[in-house]
Amino acid sequence: MPYVKWTMGLVELTKEEEMPLGRNVLEVTNIRESANYTCVAISSLGMIEATAQVTVKALPKPPTSLTVTETTATSVTLTWDSGNPEPISYYMIQYRAKSLDNGFQEVEGVATTRYSIGGLSPYSEYEFRVMAVNNIGRGPPSDPVETRTGEQAPSSPPLHVQARMLSASTMLVQWEAPEEPNGQIRGYRVYYSSDMTAPLSAWQKHNTDDSSLTTISGLTPDITYSLRVLGFTSVGDGPPSDILQVKTQQGGEHSTTQ
């Protein structure tokens, strides 16, 4: 029967005087790093050995160099470096709108180190982070990156449009900003016409800055005008408000609005 001993790499684990005959069980505890364990059998006939590899696997490290490479009004493209020497299964992206107190939304199973996330709100601040996932589990997140999506034309009209006559030929028009400006409102356009059936392009136009009231003068007394107001960003015009009708009056009397 041979004597049997264990080594870890070049380190002898079995004391010379304690080598048992025929069978030797090695119990390894508190493993911190990968290592090769070799079982050696020695007899008068010679020596034979067999090696087992113990591999320590860990969660992946956080990805590095997370960067926003492109933004549109509704999408953001991210790139990053793996940050891991070992291969990983896939990446997971987490993102959230800064204005909302919601948790992160997640995109699972991203196979590349570049990804575009769509369906975002225009002109909004978002925070993004990426995690690597291997067969052990999900690693810690990367450093976050923040960006603002691009502008779009407004998607809703100005609110609470009101008008009243200051004189027989001058009208004061007031409104409030749209609920969905989708960017920075650069100004408003008041359309007005005595023929509400005409296409909007044929109505008279009065442009204003980003304030929420204006006066329109040079109106004809004693007729009914139709009014509509829209806001615009640097990208384009939003939808016009519903028609508001105002009647100018003879002489200098003031009229009230509908």
Side-chain angles (χ1 to χ4, degrees), residues 3-148:
Y3 286 98
V4 182
K5 68 174 183 177
W6 287 93
T7 64
M8 181 180 75
L10 300 172
V11 180
E12 299 271 351
L13 298 178
T14 313
K15 292 191 173 76
E16 197 77 30
E17 64 276 12
E18 291 175 8
M19 275 197 291
L21 276 169
R23 177 177 166 82
N24 193 344
V25 177
L26 176 69
E27 186 179 317
V28 186
T29 58
N30 198 25
I31 296 173
R32 281 270 174 258
E33 54 190 47
S34 302
N36 289 335
Y37 294 85
T38 303
C39 185
V40 186
I42 308 161
S43 76
S44 57
L45 298 176
M47 185 172 93
I48 192 168
E49 63 182 44
T51 299
Q53 188 176 34
V54 175
T55 306
V56 174
K57 291 192 171 181
L59 290 172
K61 297 182 173 67
T64 57
S65 309
L66 179 60
T67 310
V68 174
T69 57
E70 206 180 307
T71 57
T72 71
T74 57
S75 72
V76 166
T77 302
L78 303 164
T79 61
W80 59 91
D81 293 335
S82 165
N84 286 278
E86 304 291 320
I88 62 122
S89 306
Y90 59 86
Y91 298 98
M92 176 181 185
I93 302 171
Q94 294 186 324
Y95 66 98
R96 66 186 179 103
K98 300 272 287 177
S99 59
L100 306 172
D101 252 359
N102 294 359
F104 283 92
Q105 289 178 266
E106 298 185 342
V107 182
E108 284 263 21
V110 176
T112 59
T113 55
R114 180 178 186 276
Y115 193 82
S116 292
I117 295 175
L120 306 178
S121 300
Y123 203 57
S124 300
E125 288 272 358
Y126 282 90
E127 178 184 357
F128 302 88
R129 61 191 196 185
V130 183
M131 302 167 177
V133 181
N134 64 10
N135 52 9
I136 308 293
R138 178 195 297 187
S142 66
D143 290 337
V145 65
E146 294 178 8
T147 193
R148 184 187 282 279

Side-chain angles (χ1 to χ4, degrees), residues 163-165 167-171 192-196 204 216-227 244-251 253-258:
R164 63 188 176 93
M165 299 307 297
S167 72
S169 60
T170 302
M171 180 194 306
Y192 61 102
S193 174
S194 55
D195 177 10
M196 68 182 288
Q204 290 173 276
I216 300 173
S217 50
L219 301 173
T220 307
D222 201 28
I223 62 171
T224 298
Y225 281 94
S226 297
L227 281 181
L244 174 70
Q245 292 197 309
V246 187
K247 189 172 186 332
T248 57
Q249 290 197 332
Q250 282 289 351
E253 298 171 45
H254 287 223
S255 110
T256 56
T257 61
Q258 277 299 88

